[in-house]
Amino acid sequence: MNPLRRRAAAAAAALAAAAVLTATGTQAHSSPAHPSPAHSSPGHAPLGRAAVADPAVADSGARVQRLWAVDGDEQLVPAGQQVPVRLKVRAVDGDRHPVPGATVHFSTPGPGLKFPDGGDDADTVTDADGYALAPALSAVGAPGPDLVTAAVGERAQVAFEITIVQ
């Protein structure tokens, strides 16, 4: 998919997630109204499919019903610096039990934040307790608010707000 289109789709998803989170007064989770495969990128499996061929891992992602923001939301970071707290999420099933082995896709649709490889996307796998830690982010853009989304499949998504300051 065209990188601009992918960015626009990711930004729209982040804004929709932020609207749901604002409306519900929580940052625990959100569920996109109209899931879209537009969140995939070259070199990454589309959301909802594991990046590896192991059926147990693919099954783990399918079991995830909620994604909880654990650490890293509402941070301030000076331009040119690394974000102080790495983003951390927890994947749970419908009974709120942790889901190990699920691939979490982190995406920075705005221009201000980048992962260590300079990219906008990073995948991590949940541990035995359902936790996933994003790679470190750096503030490379202009001052202002930016969003990072984390998603597992098409049902579980959460957004983090990070503000770049001068």
Side-chain angles (χ1 to χ4, degrees):
M1 174 179 273
N2 168 325
L4 290 176
R5 238 182 129 154
R6 182 179 56 78
R7 266 181 118 70
L15 291 174
V20 169
L21 296 174
T22 300
T24 61
T26 181
Q27 296 197 330
H29 71 277
S30 67
S31 300
H34 301 287
S36 167
H39 297 290
S40 64
S41 61
H44 291 90
L47 296 180
R49 291 178 178 69
V52 293
D54 183 351
V57 173
D59 220 25
S60 294
R63 289 184 22 232
V64 176
Q65 294 293 314
R66 302 265 193 277
L67 200 58
W68 301 92
V70 176
D71 274 330
D73 193 29
E74 297 182 359
Q75 294 186 73
L76 300 176
V77 59
Q81 299 293 312
Q82 185 170 316
V83 175
V85 178
R86 288 173 55 189
L87 308 182
K88 185 176 184 180
V89 297
R90 188 171 200 203
V92 297
D93 63 17
D95 294 322
R96 296 189 178 173
H97 296 123
V99 180
T103 299
V104 178
H105 181 77
F106 290 90
S107 182
T108 62
L113 300 168
K114 297 291 180 192
F115 288 104
D117 65 358
D120 295 333
D121 301 293
D123 291 337
T124 61
V125 176
T126 57
D127 65 15
D129 295 318
Y131 292 102
L133 190 62
L137 283 163
S138 293
V140 299
D146 211 338
L147 286 177
V148 178
T149 60
V152 174
E154 298 174 341
R155 290 174 280 184
Q157 183 177 27
V158 67
F160 296 85
E161 183 178 339
I162 299 177
T163 302
I164 301 171
V165 296
Q166 290 186 355

Short mmCIF file of all heavy atoms in Angstrom, two decimals, residues 35-109:
data_model
loop_
_atom_site.label_atom_id
_atom_site.label_comp_id
_atom_site.label_asym_id
_atom_site.label_seq_id
_atom_site.Cartn_x
_atom_site.Cartn_y
_atom_site.Cartn_z
N PRO A 35 -13.09 -2.10 10.89
CA PRO A 35 -11.72 -2.53 10.75
C PRO A 35 -11.27 -2.45 9.30
O PRO A 35 -12.08 -2.65 8.39
CB PRO A 35 -11.72 -3.97 11.25
CG PRO A 35 -13.12 -4.35 11.52
CD PRO A 35 -13.97 -3.14 11.38
N SER A 36 -10.01 -2.17 9.12
CA SER A 36 -9.48 -2.02 7.78
C SER A 36 -8.14 -2.70 7.68
O SER A 36 -7.32 -2.59 8.57
CB SER A 36 -9.32 -0.53 7.46
OG SER A 36 -8.55 -0.37 6.31
N PRO A 37 -7.86 -3.38 6.57
CA PRO A 37 -6.56 -3.99 6.40
C PRO A 37 -5.51 -2.95 6.03
O PRO A 37 -4.37 -3.27 5.79
CB PRO A 37 -6.77 -4.97 5.25
CG PRO A 37 -7.90 -4.38 4.46
CD PRO A 37 -8.77 -3.69 5.49
N ALA A 38 -5.86 -1.67 6.01
CA ALA A 38 -4.95 -0.61 5.59
C ALA A 38 -3.80 -0.41 6.56
O ALA A 38 -2.88 0.32 6.27
CB ALA A 38 -5.72 0.70 5.46
N HIS A 39 -3.84 -1.08 7.72
CA HIS A 39 -2.79 -0.87 8.70
C HIS A 39 -1.56 -1.73 8.42
O HIS A 39 -0.60 -1.64 9.13
CB HIS A 39 -3.30 -1.17 10.11
CG HIS A 39 -4.38 -0.23 10.51
ND1 HIS A 39 -4.16 1.10 10.77
CD2 HIS A 39 -5.71 -0.44 10.68
CE1 HIS A 39 -5.30 1.67 11.08
NE2 HIS A 39 -6.24 0.77 11.03
N SER A 40 -1.59 -2.56 7.41
CA SER A 40 -0.42 -3.37 7.13
C SER A 40 0.58 -2.53 6.34
O SER A 40 0.24 -1.55 5.72
CB SER A 40 -0.81 -4.62 6.33
OG SER A 40 -1.32 -4.26 5.08
N SER A 41 1.81 -2.94 6.43
CA SER A 41 2.84 -2.23 5.70
C SER A 41 3.81 -3.25 5.13
O SER A 41 3.86 -4.38 5.58
CB SER A 41 3.57 -1.25 6.61
OG SER A 41 4.19 -1.94 7.67
N PRO A 42 4.60 -2.84 4.15
CA PRO A 42 5.55 -3.78 3.57
C PRO A 42 6.45 -4.34 4.67
O PRO A 42 6.93 -3.62 5.52
CB PRO A 42 6.36 -2.92 2.60
CG PRO A 42 5.48 -1.76 2.28
CD PRO A 42 4.65 -1.53 3.52
N GLY A 43 6.62 -5.66 4.64
CA GLY A 43 7.46 -6.29 5.65
C GLY A 43 6.71 -6.63 6.93
O GLY A 43 7.26 -7.24 7.82
N HIS A 44 5.46 -6.24 7.05
CA HIS A 44 4.66 -6.56 8.23
C HIS A 44 3.42 -7.33 7.78
O HIS A 44 2.85 -7.03 6.75
CB HIS A 44 4.20 -5.29 8.96
CG HIS A 44 5.32 -4.57 9.61
ND1 HIS A 44 6.04 -3.60 8.96
CD2 HIS A 44 5.86 -4.68 10.84
CE1 HIS A 44 6.96 -3.14 9.77
NE2 HIS A 44 6.87 -3.77 10.91
N ALA A 45 3.00 -8.27 8.61
CA ALA A 45 1.77 -8.98 8.33
C ALA A 45 0.61 -8.04 8.61
O ALA A 45 0.69 -7.19 9.49
CB ALA A 45 1.68 -10.22 9.22
N PRO A 46 -0.51 -8.17 7.87
CA PRO A 46 -1.67 -7.36 8.20
C PRO A 46 -2.11 -7.65 9.62
O PRO A 46 -1.89 -8.75 10.11
CB PRO A 46 -2.73 -7.83 7.19
CG PRO A 46 -1.98 -8.51 6.11
CD PRO A 46 -0.72 -9.04 6.73
N LEU A 47 -2.72 -6.68 10.25
CA LEU A 47 -3.19 -6.89 11.62
C LEU A 47 -4.15 -8.05 11.63
O LEU A 47 -4.95 -8.23 10.73
CB LEU A 47 -3.88 -5.63 12.14
CG LEU A 47 -2.94 -4.43 12.26
CD1 LEU A 47 -3.69 -3.23 12.80
CD2 LEU A 47 -1.78 -4.74 13.16
N GLY A 48 -4.07 -8.84 12.69
CA GLY A 48 -4.93 -10.00 12.79
C GLY A 48 -4.24 -11.26 12.31
O GLY A 48 -4.73 -12.35 12.47
N ARG A 49 -3.06 -11.13 11.70
CA ARG A 49 -2.30 -12.27 11.26
C ARG A 49 -0.92 -12.15 11.87
O ARG A 49 -0.32 -11.10 11.87
CB ARG A 49 -2.18 -12.29 9.74
CG ARG A 49 -3.52 -12.57 9.09
CD ARG A 49 -3.39 -12.53 7.59
NE ARG A 49 -4.61 -12.84 6.92
CZ ARG A 49 -5.69 -12.09 6.90
NH1 ARG A 49 -5.72 -10.95 7.54
NH2 ARG A 49 -6.75 -12.45 6.24
N ALA A 50 -0.43 -13.24 12.40
CA ALA A 50 0.88 -13.21 13.03
C ALA A 50 1.96 -13.03 11.98
O ALA A 50 1.80 -13.42 10.83
CB ALA A 50 1.11 -14.51 13.80
N ALA A 51 3.07 -12.45 12.39
CA ALA A 51 4.18 -12.23 11.48
C ALA A 51 4.95 -13.51 11.23
O ALA A 51 5.81 -13.56 10.37
CB ALA A 51 5.10 -11.16 12.06
N VAL A 52 4.65 -14.57 11.98
CA VAL A 52 5.31 -15.86 11.79
C VAL A 52 4.25 -16.89 11.43
O VAL A 52 3.06 -16.68 11.64
CB VAL A 52 6.07 -16.29 13.06
CG1 VAL A 52 7.23 -15.37 13.33
CG2 VAL A 52 5.15 -16.35 14.25
N ALA A 53 4.69 -18.01 10.91
CA ALA A 53 3.75 -19.02 10.43
C ALA A 53 3.25 -19.95 11.52
O ALA A 53 2.49 -20.87 11.24
CB ALA A 53 4.41 -19.83 9.31
N ASP A 54 3.65 -19.78 12.76
CA ASP A 54 3.25 -20.65 13.85
C ASP A 54 1.76 -20.50 14.13
O ASP A 54 1.29 -19.44 14.52
CB ASP A 54 4.06 -20.29 15.10
CG ASP A 54 3.76 -21.19 16.28
OD1 ASP A 54 2.81 -21.99 16.21
OD2 ASP A 54 4.50 -21.08 17.27
N PRO A 55 0.95 -21.57 13.95
CA PRO A 55 -0.49 -21.47 14.16
C PRO A 55 -0.86 -21.08 15.58
O PRO A 55 -1.85 -20.42 15.81
CB PRO A 55 -1.03 -22.87 13.83
CG PRO A 55 0.07 -23.59 13.14
CD PRO A 55 1.35 -22.89 13.47
N ALA A 56 -0.05 -21.46 16.58
CA ALA A 56 -0.35 -21.10 17.96
C ALA A 56 -0.28 -19.60 18.15
O ALA A 56 -1.08 -19.01 18.87
CB ALA A 56 0.61 -21.80 18.91
N VAL A 57 0.68 -18.93 17.50
CA VAL A 57 0.80 -17.48 17.60
C VAL A 57 -0.38 -16.82 16.91
O VAL A 57 -0.98 -15.89 17.43
CB VAL A 57 2.15 -17.00 17.02
CG1 VAL A 57 2.20 -15.49 16.96
CG2 VAL A 57 3.30 -17.54 17.84
N ALA A 58 -0.75 -17.29 15.73
CA ALA A 58 -1.90 -16.73 15.03
C ALA A 58 -3.15 -16.89 15.88
O ALA A 58 -3.98 -16.00 15.95
CB ALA A 58 -2.07 -17.40 13.67
N ASP A 59 -3.28 -18.04 16.54
CA ASP A 59 -4.42 -18.30 17.41
C ASP A 59 -4.42 -17.33 18.59
O ASP A 59 -5.47 -16.85 18.99
CB ASP A 59 -4.32 -19.74 17.92
CG ASP A 59 -5.66 -20.42 17.97
OD1 ASP A 59 -6.57 -20.04 17.22
OD2 ASP A 59 -5.77 -21.35 18.76
N SER A 60 -3.24 -17.02 19.14
CA SER A 60 -3.15 -16.09 20.27
C SER A 60 -3.70 -14.73 19.89
O SER A 60 -4.47 -14.13 20.64
CB SER A 60 -1.70 -15.94 20.74
OG SER A 60 -1.24 -17.15 21.27
N GLY A 61 -3.32 -14.21 18.74
CA GLY A 61 -3.81 -12.91 18.29
C GLY A 61 -5.31 -12.91 18.11
O GLY A 61 -5.98 -11.93 18.43
N ALA A 62 -5.87 -14.01 17.64
CA ALA A 62 -7.31 -14.09 17.43
C ALA A 62 -8.06 -14.09 18.77
O ALA A 62 -9.21 -13.68 18.82
CB ALA A 62 -7.66 -15.35 16.64
N ARG A 63 -7.41 -14.53 19.85
CA ARG A 63 -8.06 -14.57 21.16
C ARG A 63 -8.12 -13.21 21.84
O ARG A 63 -8.87 -13.01 22.78
CB ARG A 63 -7.33 -15.56 22.07
CG ARG A 63 -7.53 -16.99 21.67
CD ARG A 63 -6.88 -18.00 22.63
NE ARG A 63 -6.63 -17.51 23.95
CZ ARG A 63 -5.44 -17.59 24.57
NH1 ARG A 63 -4.42 -18.12 23.96
NH2 ARG A 63 -5.30 -17.15 25.80
N VAL A 64 -7.30 -12.27 21.39
CA VAL A 64 -7.23 -10.96 22.06
C VAL A 64 -8.53 -10.18 21.81
O VAL A 64 -8.93 -9.97 20.67
CB VAL A 64 -6.02 -10.14 21.58
CG1 VAL A 64 -6.03 -8.75 22.20
CG2 VAL A 64 -4.72 -10.86 21.92
N GLN A 65 -9.17 -9.76 22.89
CA GLN A 65 -10.40 -8.98 22.81
C GLN A 65 -10.19 -7.53 23.23
O GLN A 65 -10.90 -6.65 22.80
CB GLN A 65 -11.49 -9.60 23.69
CG GLN A 65 -11.93 -10.96 23.22
CD GLN A 65 -12.66 -10.88 21.90
OE1 GLN A 65 -13.52 -10.05 21.70
NE2 GLN A 65 -12.27 -11.74 20.96
N ARG A 66 -9.21 -7.29 24.11
CA ARG A 66 -8.95 -5.96 24.63
C ARG A 66 -7.45 -5.73 24.70
O ARG A 66 -6.68 -6.65 24.96
CB ARG A 66 -9.50 -5.79 26.05
CG ARG A 66 -10.98 -6.02 26.19
CD ARG A 66 -11.73 -4.70 26.09
NE ARG A 66 -13.11 -4.78 26.50
CZ ARG A 66 -14.11 -5.20 25.73
NH1 ARG A 66 -13.87 -5.62 24.53
NH2 ARG A 66 -15.34 -5.19 26.18
N LEU A 67 -7.07 -4.50 24.51
CA LEU A 67 -5.68 -4.09 24.66
C LEU A 67 -5.68 -2.94 25.65
O LEU A 67 -6.34 -1.92 25.43
CB LEU A 67 -5.12 -3.67 23.30
CG LEU A 67 -3.62 -3.65 23.14
CD1 LEU A 67 -3.02 -5.02 23.43
CD2 LEU A 67 -3.26 -3.23 21.74
N TRP A 68 -4.98 -3.10 26.75
CA TRP A 68 -4.95 -2.10 27.82
C TRP A 68 -3.64 -1.32 27.77
O TRP A 68 -2.57 -1.91 27.66
CB TRP A 68 -5.06 -2.77 29.19
CG TRP A 68 -6.31 -3.58 29.35
CD1 TRP A 68 -6.46 -4.91 29.09
CD2 TRP A 68 -7.58 -3.11 29.80
NE1 TRP A 68 -7.75 -5.29 29.36
CE2 TRP A 68 -8.46 -4.21 29.80
CE3 TRP A 68 -8.05 -1.87 30.21
CZ2 TRP A 68 -9.78 -4.10 30.18
CZ3 TRP A 68 -9.38 -1.77 30.59
CH2 TRP A 68 -10.22 -2.87 30.58
N ALA A 69 -3.72 0.00 27.88
CA ALA A 69 -2.52 0.83 28.01
C ALA A 69 -2.03 0.69 29.44
O ALA A 69 -2.77 0.97 30.38
CB ALA A 69 -2.84 2.29 27.69
N VAL A 70 -0.79 0.27 29.62
CA VAL A 70 -0.24 0.06 30.95
C VAL A 70 0.71 1.19 31.33
O VAL A 70 0.62 1.73 32.42
CB VAL A 70 0.49 -1.31 31.03
CG1 VAL A 70 1.16 -1.50 32.38
CG2 VAL A 70 -0.48 -2.45 30.74
N ASP A 71 1.63 1.54 30.45
CA ASP A 71 2.62 2.59 30.70
C ASP A 71 2.85 3.41 29.44
O ASP A 71 2.77 2.89 28.33
CB ASP A 71 3.98 1.98 31.08
CG ASP A 71 4.13 1.68 32.54
OD1 ASP A 71 3.51 2.39 33.36
OD2 ASP A 71 4.88 0.74 32.87
N GLY A 72 3.18 4.69 29.65
CA GLY A 72 3.65 5.52 28.55
C GLY A 72 2.70 6.55 28.00
O GLY A 72 3.10 7.35 27.14
N ASP A 73 1.46 6.59 28.44
CA ASP A 73 0.52 7.57 27.91
C ASP A 73 0.77 8.95 28.52
O ASP A 73 1.28 9.06 29.64
CB ASP A 73 -0.91 7.13 28.18
CG ASP A 73 -1.92 7.93 27.38
OD1 ASP A 73 -1.61 8.41 26.27
OD2 ASP A 73 -3.04 8.10 27.87
N GLU A 74 0.40 9.98 27.79
CA GLU A 74 0.45 11.38 28.24
C GLU A 74 1.85 11.80 28.71
O GLU A 74 2.01 12.38 29.77
CB GLU A 74 -0.59 11.63 29.33
CG GLU A 74 -2.00 11.41 28.83
CD GLU A 74 -3.06 11.70 29.88
OE1 GLU A 74 -2.73 12.05 31.02
OE2 GLU A 74 -4.25 11.57 29.53
N GLN A 75 2.83 11.54 27.86
CA GLN A 75 4.20 11.94 28.17
C GLN A 75 4.57 13.23 27.46
O GLN A 75 4.04 13.55 26.40
CB GLN A 75 5.19 10.86 27.71
CG GLN A 75 5.06 9.56 28.46
CD GLN A 75 6.16 8.61 28.06
OE1 GLN A 75 7.32 8.80 28.44
NE2 GLN A 75 5.80 7.59 27.29
N LEU A 76 5.52 13.94 28.06
CA LEU A 76 6.13 15.11 27.44
C LEU A 76 7.57 14.75 27.14
O LEU A 76 8.25 14.17 27.99
CB LEU A 76 6.08 16.32 28.37
CG LEU A 76 4.70 16.79 28.82
CD1 LEU A 76 4.84 17.94 29.82
CD2 LEU A 76 3.88 17.24 27.63
N VAL A 77 8.04 15.12 25.94
CA VAL A 77 9.41 14.81 25.57
C VAL A 77 10.00 15.99 24.80
O VAL A 77 9.36 16.51 23.89
CB VAL A 77 9.50 13.50 24.75
CG1 VAL A 77 8.70 13.57 23.48
CG2 VAL A 77 10.94 13.14 24.44
N PRO A 78 11.20 16.44 25.20
CA PRO A 78 11.83 17.52 24.44
C PRO A 78 12.19 17.06 23.03
O PRO A 78 12.58 15.91 22.82
CB PRO A 78 13.11 17.81 25.24
CG PRO A 78 12.86 17.26 26.61
CD PRO A 78 11.95 16.08 26.39
N ALA A 79 12.04 17.95 22.07
CA ALA A 79 12.41 17.65 20.68
C ALA A 79 13.85 17.16 20.64
O ALA A 79 14.72 17.68 21.34
CB ALA A 79 12.23 18.89 19.82
N GLY A 80 14.09 16.12 19.85
CA GLY A 80 15.42 15.57 19.71
C GLY A 80 15.80 14.56 20.77
O GLY A 80 16.89 13.99 20.73
N GLN A 81 14.92 14.28 21.72
CA GLN A 81 15.21 13.36 22.81
C GLN A 81 14.41 12.06 22.66
O GLN A 81 13.44 11.99 21.92
CB GLN A 81 14.86 13.99 24.16
CG GLN A 81 15.63 15.26 24.46
CD GLN A 81 17.10 14.98 24.66
OE1 GLN A 81 17.48 14.06 25.40
NE2 GLN A 81 17.95 15.75 23.99
N GLN A 82 14.82 11.07 23.43
CA GLN A 82 14.08 9.81 23.49
C GLN A 82 12.91 9.97 24.45
O GLN A 82 13.03 10.63 25.48
CB GLN A 82 15.01 8.70 23.96
CG GLN A 82 14.36 7.33 23.93
CD GLN A 82 15.37 6.22 24.17
OE1 GLN A 82 16.46 6.25 23.61
NE2 GLN A 82 15.00 5.26 24.99
N VAL A 83 11.78 9.36 24.12
CA VAL A 83 10.60 9.37 24.99
C VAL A 83 10.99 8.65 26.28
O VAL A 83 11.54 7.54 26.24
CB VAL A 83 9.40 8.69 24.30
CG1 VAL A 83 8.21 8.58 25.22
CG2 VAL A 83 9.03 9.45 23.02
N PRO A 84 10.76 9.27 27.46
CA PRO A 84 11.27 8.72 28.73
C PRO A 84 10.73 7.34 29.11
O PRO A 84 11.48 6.53 29.64
CB PRO A 84 10.88 9.75 29.78
CG PRO A 84 10.07 10.78 29.11
CD PRO A 84 10.07 10.53 27.64
N VAL A 85 9.46 7.07 28.88
CA VAL A 85 8.87 5.79 29.29
C VAL A 85 8.42 5.05 28.04
O VAL A 85 7.62 5.57 27.25
CB VAL A 85 7.67 6.01 30.24
CG1 VAL A 85 7.03 4.68 30.62
CG2 VAL A 85 8.11 6.76 31.49
N ARG A 86 8.92 3.83 27.87
CA ARG A 86 8.50 3.03 26.72
C ARG A 86 7.03 2.63 26.87
O ARG A 86 6.55 2.40 27.98
CB ARG A 86 9.38 1.79 26.59
CG ARG A 86 10.78 2.19 26.11
CD ARG A 86 11.76 1.05 26.11
NE ARG A 86 11.32 -0.10 25.34
CZ ARG A 86 11.96 -1.26 25.36
NH1 ARG A 86 13.05 -1.41 26.09
NH2 ARG A 86 11.51 -2.28 24.65
N LEU A 87 6.34 2.56 25.75
CA LEU A 87 4.91 2.22 25.75
C LEU A 87 4.75 0.75 26.07
O LEU A 87 5.44 -0.11 25.52
CB LEU A 87 4.30 2.54 24.39
CG LEU A 87 4.54 3.96 23.87
CD1 LEU A 87 3.83 4.15 22.55
CD2 LEU A 87 4.12 4.99 24.88
N LYS A 88 3.79 0.47 26.96
CA LYS A 88 3.54 -0.90 27.38
C LYS A 88 2.04 -1.16 27.35
O LYS A 88 1.26 -0.34 27.81
CB LYS A 88 4.08 -1.12 28.80
CG LYS A 88 3.98 -2.54 29.30
CD LYS A 88 4.64 -2.65 30.66
CE LYS A 88 4.66 -4.06 31.18
NZ LYS A 88 5.32 -4.12 32.52
N VAL A 89 1.66 -2.31 26.79
CA VAL A 89 0.26 -2.70 26.72
C VAL A 89 0.09 -4.10 27.30
O VAL A 89 1.06 -4.84 27.45
CB VAL A 89 -0.27 -2.67 25.26
CG1 VAL A 89 -0.21 -1.27 24.67
CG2 VAL A 89 0.49 -3.65 24.38
N ARG A 90 -1.17 -4.43 27.57
CA ARG A 90 -1.49 -5.80 28.00
C ARG A 90 -2.65 -6.28 27.15
O ARG A 90 -3.68 -5.62 27.04
CB ARG A 90 -1.86 -5.85 29.47
CG ARG A 90 -2.00 -7.29 29.95
CD ARG A 90 -2.15 -7.37 31.44
NE ARG A 90 -1.82 -8.72 31.89
CZ ARG A 90 -2.24 -9.23 33.02
NH1 ARG A 90 -2.99 -8.50 33.83
NH2 ARG A 90 -1.92 -10.45 33.36
N ALA A 91 -2.48 -7.46 26.58
CA ALA A 91 -3.51 -8.09 25.75
C ALA A 91 -4.27 -9.10 26.60
O ALA A 91 -3.66 -9.93 27.28
CB ALA A 91 -2.87 -8.79 24.56
N VAL A 92 -5.61 -9.01 26.57
CA VAL A 92 -6.44 -9.93 27.33
C VAL A 92 -7.56 -10.48 26.44
O VAL A 92 -7.95 -9.88 25.45
CB VAL A 92 -7.05 -9.26 28.59
CG1 VAL A 92 -5.95 -8.82 29.55
CG2 VAL A 92 -7.92 -8.08 28.23
N ASP A 93 -8.08 -11.64 26.85
CA ASP A 93 -9.19 -12.25 26.12
C ASP A 93 -10.52 -11.73 26.67
O ASP A 93 -10.55 -10.83 27.51
CB ASP A 93 -9.10 -13.78 26.17
CG ASP A 93 -9.22 -14.37 27.57
OD1 ASP A 93 -9.70 -13.67 28.51
OD2 ASP A 93 -8.84 -15.54 27.74
N GLY A 94 -11.61 -12.29 26.22
CA GLY A 94 -12.94 -11.86 26.64
C GLY A 94 -13.20 -12.01 28.12
O GLY A 94 -14.06 -11.32 28.68
N ASP A 95 -12.47 -12.90 28.78
CA ASP A 95 -12.62 -13.10 30.23
C ASP A 95 -11.55 -12.32 31.02
O ASP A 95 -11.37 -12.57 32.20
CB ASP A 95 -12.53 -14.59 30.57
CG ASP A 95 -13.70 -15.38 30.00
OD1 ASP A 95 -14.83 -14.85 30.00
OD2 ASP A 95 -13.47 -16.52 29.53
N ARG A 96 -10.86 -11.45 30.33
CA ARG A 96 -9.79 -10.62 30.90
C ARG A 96 -8.59 -11.42 31.38
O ARG A 96 -7.88 -10.99 32.29
CB ARG A 96 -10.33 -9.70 31.99
CG ARG A 96 -11.31 -8.70 31.44
CD ARG A 96 -11.67 -7.67 32.43
NE ARG A 96 -12.60 -6.72 31.79
CZ ARG A 96 -13.22 -5.78 32.42
NH1 ARG A 96 -13.03 -5.61 33.70
NH2 ARG A 96 -14.03 -4.97 31.78
N HIS A 97 -8.37 -12.58 30.77
CA HIS A 97 -7.17 -13.36 31.05
C HIS A 97 -6.08 -12.91 30.07
O HIS A 97 -6.37 -12.63 28.91
CB HIS A 97 -7.43 -14.86 30.87
CG HIS A 97 -8.43 -15.38 31.84
ND1 HIS A 97 -9.59 -16.01 31.45
CD2 HIS A 97 -8.44 -15.37 33.20
CE1 HIS A 97 -10.28 -16.36 32.52
NE2 HIS A 97 -9.61 -15.98 33.59
N PRO A 98 -4.82 -12.88 30.50
CA PRO A 98 -3.74 -12.46 29.60
C PRO A 98 -3.60 -13.41 28.41
O PRO A 98 -3.86 -14.61 28.54
CB PRO A 98 -2.50 -12.51 30.49
CG PRO A 98 -2.85 -13.30 31.68
CD PRO A 98 -4.33 -13.25 31.84
N VAL A 99 -3.19 -12.85 27.28
CA VAL A 99 -2.98 -13.64 26.07
C VAL A 99 -1.50 -13.57 25.70
O VAL A 99 -1.03 -12.55 25.21
CB VAL A 99 -3.84 -13.14 24.89
CG1 VAL A 99 -3.59 -13.98 23.64
CG2 VAL A 99 -5.32 -13.16 25.25
N PRO A 100 -0.75 -14.64 25.97
CA PRO A 100 0.66 -14.66 25.58
C PRO A 100 0.81 -14.98 24.09
O PRO A 100 -0.06 -15.59 23.48
CB PRO A 100 1.24 -15.80 26.43
CG PRO A 100 0.09 -16.70 26.71
CD PRO A 100 -1.14 -15.82 26.73
N GLY A 101 1.91 -14.53 23.50
CA GLY A 101 2.24 -14.88 22.12
C GLY A 101 1.50 -14.12 21.05
O GLY A 101 1.54 -14.50 19.88
N ALA A 102 0.81 -13.05 21.39
CA ALA A 102 0.08 -12.26 20.39
C ALA A 102 0.99 -11.15 19.86
O ALA A 102 1.71 -10.51 20.62
CB ALA A 102 -1.18 -11.65 21.01
N THR A 103 0.93 -10.91 18.57
CA THR A 103 1.73 -9.84 17.97
C THR A 103 1.01 -8.51 18.13
O THR A 103 -0.14 -8.37 17.74
CB THR A 103 1.99 -10.11 16.48
OG1 THR A 103 2.71 -11.34 16.37
CG2 THR A 103 2.80 -9.00 15.84
N VAL A 104 1.70 -7.53 18.73
CA VAL A 104 1.16 -6.19 18.92
C VAL A 104 1.87 -5.28 17.90
O VAL A 104 3.09 -5.25 17.84
CB VAL A 104 1.41 -5.66 20.35
CG1 VAL A 104 0.87 -4.23 20.50
CG2 VAL A 104 0.76 -6.59 21.37
N HIS A 105 1.07 -4.57 17.14
CA HIS A 105 1.60 -3.65 16.12
C HIS A 105 1.50 -2.22 16.65
O HIS A 105 0.41 -1.72 16.89
CB HIS A 105 0.81 -3.80 14.82
CG HIS A 105 1.31 -2.92 13.73
ND1 HIS A 105 2.43 -3.21 13.00
CD2 HIS A 105 0.84 -1.75 13.25
CE1 HIS A 105 2.64 -2.26 12.12
NE2 HIS A 105 1.69 -1.35 12.24
N PHE A 106 2.65 -1.58 16.84
CA PHE A 106 2.72 -0.18 17.26
C PHE A 106 2.94 0.66 16.02
O PHE A 106 3.75 0.32 15.16
CB PHE A 106 3.87 0.05 18.25
CG PHE A 106 3.66 -0.58 19.60
CD1 PHE A 106 4.09 -1.88 19.85
CD2 PHE A 106 3.03 0.12 20.62
CE1 PHE A 106 3.90 -2.46 21.11
CE2 PHE A 106 2.84 -0.44 21.86
CZ PHE A 106 3.27 -1.74 22.11
N SER A 107 2.22 1.79 15.92
CA SER A 107 2.33 2.66 14.76
C SER A 107 2.32 4.12 15.18
O SER A 107 1.53 4.52 16.04
CB SER A 107 1.17 2.39 13.80
OG SER A 107 1.28 3.18 12.64
N THR A 108 3.19 4.92 14.56
CA THR A 108 3.25 6.36 14.81
C THR A 108 2.81 7.08 13.55
O THR A 108 3.64 7.40 12.69
CB THR A 108 4.68 6.80 15.21
OG1 THR A 108 5.56 6.51 14.12
CG2 THR A 108 5.17 6.10 16.44
N PRO A 109 1.52 7.33 13.39
CA PRO A 109 1.03 7.92 12.13
C PRO A 109 1.45 9.37 11.91
O PRO A 109 1.46 9.83 10.79
CB PRO A 109 -0.48 7.79 12.24
CG PRO A 109 -0.77 7.68 13.69
CD PRO A 109 0.44 7.02 14.31
#
